[in-house]
Amino acid sequence: MSGILVFVEQRDGSIRKASLQALSEAHRQAAANGWPVAAVLPGSGIEGAAGSLGAYGAAKVFIADDANLKLYSAEGYAEAVVAAVKQMEPNAVFFSATAMGRDLAPRVAAKLGVGGLADVTGLTLEGETFVATRPVYSAKAFAIVDTAGKTPQVISLRPNVFAAEETGGNAEIVKLDGLTLSIRAMVKELVSSEGGELDVAEANIIVSGGRGLKGPENFALMRELAGLLGAAVGASRAAVDAGWIDHSHQVGQTGKVVSPTLYIANGISGAIQHLAGMSSSKIIVAVNKDPDAPIFKVADYGVVGDLFQVVPAMIEEIKKLKAA
Amino acid sequence: MKCIVCMTHVPDTASIIKIGADGKHIDETGIKWIVSPYDEYALEEALKLADEGKADEVTVVTYGPQRAEAGLRECLARGAHKAVHIVGGEKTLGDSLAIAKVLAAALKDREYDVILVGVKGVGTDNSQVGQMLAELLDLPHVSNVVKIDWNDGAVAVEREVEGGHEVVESPLPAVLTAQKGLNEPRYAALKGIMAAKRKPVEKIELSALGLDEDTLAGADATYNVRSLELPPEKAAGTIIQGEDDPQAAAAELVKLLHEEAKAF
Ligand SMILES: Cc1cc2nc3c(=O)[nH]c(=O)nc-3n(C[C@H](O)[C@H](O)[C@H](O)COP(=O)(O)OP(=O)(O)OC[C@H]3O[C@@H](n4cnc5c(N)ncnc54)[C@H](O)[C@@H]3O)c2cc1C
Ligand SMILES: Nc1ncnc2c1ncn2[C@@H]1O[C@H](COP(=O)(O)O)[C@@H](O)[C@H]1O
């Protein structure tokens, strides 16, 4: 048993960024032991997309190309991943901790009779054992964990924490045959949210608003700043519960866990349940009129002031910068 | 219909976390324990079905230490009909497969149409037990559920994904993992709290399920905590006073983000 198998996610035939991050990390980790890296890609009409994975370190891509796999199903996709595991006998199976990866990894793990290390933000290899860091207790602590000697080691990697890296290379395509695909829970449709807004879970930059915005109309200010930066709009639970913005924008314990390069919190106090969702962001910025707001304790940069004055001024400054 | 709700009893999300003496668990002194918030959505969904006359039995199940009985009482007070307490779990904390094995053993001979669980047990934050339980019981599952249409012997659900949602149809029985947005959990009314005191809590020992915690946490363990650590102290950030001259503060912030942090 050796090597790392990476589950790769696609939507309409295009590979998701988070999967390339997981694949790149597998490539970096495997180098230490000279392990092979392979990908497994279920979908429909995906052969073209599969070829592109070589550039991110996959020497082999197992594809399960079937009309019944066009949309996600835990049972169908798990069968494909397990079939690839049986062929490759890897030491570890990586997933990205996306909605799909977090759904699928435990189902695959249970099929293989192993556990799982979910949503890890750090990974090192000791011999053949992965030692992972996982945020727990709302990121108030980190657990350093391993799979207690059980293999394959099923691990899901938090999106945007590990870098995607094009290293060049070609992948051999291997078709997975003989799948039965007995799927009971079937996805009928994938419905994109109104306006096709960028999702906080996938954004490099997030502009978030909280109760300090005072009302739904002021999310326009967040959208304006976000638009300039190519950012997604996030929100605290207080703003979501007040009905100012849809829950899909909520960041935190009962919202999404995000890890962007830049997180700008406007009028958000920084309650622990909010921090749980964004404290692994690389750069945190806070705009808040209360100098004692807890958000300033985690902020790399902050402005103490009225967001209704500071944010429009920021917008002006960024426009100037762009024009220059 | 008969509904099973899996409940895990966790530290209040506002708790201050300190590392315990063994360096692997939290120090439990002063911790307030609650029903994991997502399990409240799972329970509420079952209670709504009961209110509508679609469900005639809502059973809450937990695998946890003695104190977890308080969580079961809370669920009974909100309206659950029955509670099952599999006693144990301290040594298998965070080992999702071990927990799923215990729950599967306890549920395999029971009658149910649906198993509702939370999308994530807060604290250990695994989001794994529901899917593993489904696999062990050979059931379909749908996770991250924000809407459920209950039909005859089947459900049509919405599952939240990045940038939208999936519409999923599944036959019952199935495991569904509840996400925020599914419903608004009720509070326990005084009448419910009084009634809950008289409702029995069925206690099950692991040995009665043919399992033992030492094996689950020993030879069969799939999750090993080497250590639990507090986050590193973060260096103080650059905080600009912007009350008097917000324009200048904003300009400085943008400059720092652009030139120093290279954030855009
Ligand atoms: C089980 C549980 C789960 C939870 N999950 C989440 C979650 O997922 N996400 C989440 O965010 N919260 C969550 N919460 C709620 C959390 O505890 C806080 O209540 C919430 O985050 C507060 O939102 P807020 O910061 O927008 O509001 P507040 O705490 O009210 O803060 C508003 C801030 O705006 C500032 N402000 C006001 N006016 C201005 C102005 N003009 N200019 C600048 N600043 C201004 C104030 O100084 C204040 O700091 C959860 C709570 C529980 C119990
Ligand atoms: N010890 C337990 N007893 C009963 N249900 C549990 C237990 N642990 C987890 N669950 C259920 O599984 C869900 C997901 O938990 P987890 O995989 O630990 O994040 C929880 O919200 C509960 O519904």
Side-chain angles (χ1 to χ4, degrees):
Chain A
M1 287 238 278
S2 79
I4 305 174
L5 177 67
V6 183
F7 166 72
V8 171
E9 185 176 330
Q10 50 82 31
R11 212 179 257 187
D12 292 327
S14 58
I15 305 292
R16 309 292 282 171
K17 190 177 76 182
S19 293
L20 297 178
Q21 296 165 355
L23 184 55
S24 295
E25 182 62 15
H27 182 66
R28 284 187 290 268
Q29 295 285 352
N33 282 352
W35 279 350
V37 173
V40 51
L41 177 68
S44 175
I46 41 150
E47 212 159 322
S52 70
L53 297 175
Y56 291 88
K60 215 183 246 185
V61 183
F62 295 98
I63 63 168
D65 203 337
D66 192 296
N68 285 318
L69 297 173
K70 180 167 175 35
L71 293 172
Y72 173 67
S73 72
E75 293 163 280
Y77 277 43
E79 192 190 340
V81 176
V82 169
V85 168
K86 295 263 148 74
Q87 283 201 31
M88 182 186 182
E89 301 199 334
N91 204 301
V93 188
F94 284 10
F95 293 80
S96 178
T98 56
M100 192 188 290
R102 293 204 83 175
D103 184 71
L104 180 61
R107 185 104 205 186
V108 167
K111 258 189 200 305
L112 297 169
V114 296
L117 309 178
D119 200 23
V120 313
T121 55
L123 206 53
T124 53
L125 192 53
E126 278 181 10
E128 304 205 332
T129 302
F130 279 106
V131 182
T133 303
R134 304 185 54 234
V136 291
Y137 299 100
S138 317
K140 282 181 276 190
F142 290 92
I144 315 300
V145 296
D146 61 47
T147 62
K150 306 299 184 291
T151 55
Q153 305 169 73
V154 172
I155 302 172
S156 68
L157 282 61
R158 181 174 289 191
N160 293 337
V161 170
F162 302 90
E165 194 180 0
E166 226 173 311
T167 48
N170 287 313
E172 176 200 348
I173 308 288
V174 182
K175 290 197 171 133
L176 293 169
D177 296 321
L179 301 180
T180 59
L181 301 181
S182 43
I183 300 166
R184 291 165 291 185
M186 194 73 176
V187 177
K188 294 291 168 185
E189 197 186 353
L190 172 59
V191 183
S192 297
S193 51
E194 16 52 80
E197 272 186 298
L198 186 58
D199 194 287
V200 287
E202 301 193 301
N204 263 329
I205 302 182
I206 297 172
V207 176
S208 266
R211 196 178 343 246
L213 279 182
K214 306 253 175 344
E217 64 285 359
N218 294 324
F219 265 97
L221 192 60
M222 299 296 104
R223 293 208 161 87
E224 190 181 352
L225 179 56
L228 269 179
L229 297 172
V233 174
S236 73
R237 176 163 172 172
V240 170
D241 285 357
W244 300 348
I245 190 163
D246 187 71
H247 170 250
S248 58
H249 295 266
Q250 185 180 317
V251 171
Q253 178 109 62
T254 38
K256 288 182 174 140
V257 174
V258 298
S259 229
T261 312
L262 176 62
Y263 187 89
I264 309 180
N266 302 289
I268 293 178
S269 60
I272 190 69
Q273 297 93 348
H274 189 78
L275 302 185
M278 44 66 75
S279 60
S280 66
S281 305
K282 284 168 203 83
I283 303 165
I284 297 172
V285 175
V287 177
N288 198 301
K289 67 178 184 190
D290 173 8
D292 297 322
I295 191 79
F296 284 122
K297 292 207 176 64
V298 300
D300 300 284
Y301 299 95
V303 174
V304 179
D306 183 350
L307 76 91
F308 295 107
Q309 295 180 315
V310 175
V311 176
M314 282 173 71
I315 291 173
E316 225 175 278
E317 290 298 327
I318 294 169
K319 280 186 180 157
K320 274 195 228 160
L321 196 68
K322 295 216 154 179
Chain B
M1 267 177 54
K2 300 200 186 314
C3 304
I4 305 270
V5 177
C6 295
M7 186 278 293
T8 173
H9 202 223
V10 299
D12 188 333
T13 55
S15 305
I16 293 167
I17 297 297
K18 290 189 225 112
I19 310 294
D22 70 350
K24 296 183 182 188
H25 295 85
I26 60 165
D27 177 353
E28 295 191 359
T29 22
I31 296 282
K32 182 181 151 210
W33 298 87
I34 59 167
V35 172
S36 181
Y38 295 98
D39 300 350
E40 297 189 325
Y41 303 121
L43 174 65
E44 179 62 30
E45 202 60 21
L47 295 178
K48 269 172 47 190
L49 286 177
D51 291 347
E52 292 163 12
K54 290 185 188 152
D56 55 355
E57 191 178 280
V58 175
T59 304
V60 183
V61 180
T62 196
Y63 165 47
Q66 284 303 342
R67 60 163 164 72
E69 188 179 323
L72 292 174
R73 293 273 169 216
E74 169 68 27
C75 297
L76 290 170
R78 292 188 196 193
H81 304 113
K82 293 182 176 172
V84 176
H85 187 179
I86 311 151
V87 186
E90 261 149 340
K91 293 181 193 157
T92 52
L93 183 73
D95 190 331
S96 309
L97 187 67
I99 296 166
K101 278 184 192 162
V102 170
L103 294 174
L107 295 179
K108 70 178 183 354
D109 298 324
R110 282 184 191 256
E111 246 186 274
Y112 53 79
D113 300 281
V114 66
I115 300 176
L116 288 152
V117 313
V119 72
K120 160 163 89 182
V122 311
T124 48
D125 291 354
N126 275 314
S127 284
Q128 301 197 119
V129 168
Q131 296 90 313
M132 288 179 164
L133 179 60
E135 178 63 30
L136 298 180
L137 293 173
D138 190 20
L139 296 175
H141 82 261
V142 188
S143 69
N144 240 3
V145 169
V146 290
K147 184 167 184 279
I148 309 176
D149 285 331
W150 298 92
N151 303 316
D152 211 14
V155 283
V157 307
E158 281 182 19
R159 154 178 153 71
E160 194 173 76
V161 300
E162 294 84 3
H165 65 265
E166 290 171 340
V167 180
V168 193
E169 287 178 11
S170 175
L172 294 177
V175 175
L176 304 177
T177 88
Q179 169 64 290
K180 181 184 181 238
L182 182 59
N183 52 43
E184 275 308 318
R186 69 194 64 190
Y187 294 107
L190 186 61
K191 203 170 125 222
I193 297 170
M194 298 311 287
K197 293 195 173 129
R198 291 188 304 273
K199 293 182 187 167
V201 171
E202 182 189 344
K203 298 272 177 187
I204 300 182
E205 296 299 329
L206 277 181
S207 54
L209 301 173
L211 294 167
D212 83 273
E213 197 162 336
D214 286 330
T215 311
L216 285 171
D220 290 350
T222 67
Y223 185 79
N224 169 46
V225 180
R226 295 182 168 209
S227 63
L228 195 62
E229 294 169 5
L230 293 177
E233 271 312 318
K234 200 165 171 171
T238 307
I239 309 297
I240 307 160
Q241 299 306 320
E243 286 106 324
D244 299 333
D245 192 347
Q247 192 75 41
E252 193 184 340
L253 175 66
V254 169
K255 186 162 179 271
L256 284 168
L257 290 177
H258 181 61
E259 290 175 7
E260 186 179 276
K262 304 203 174 354
F264 49 74

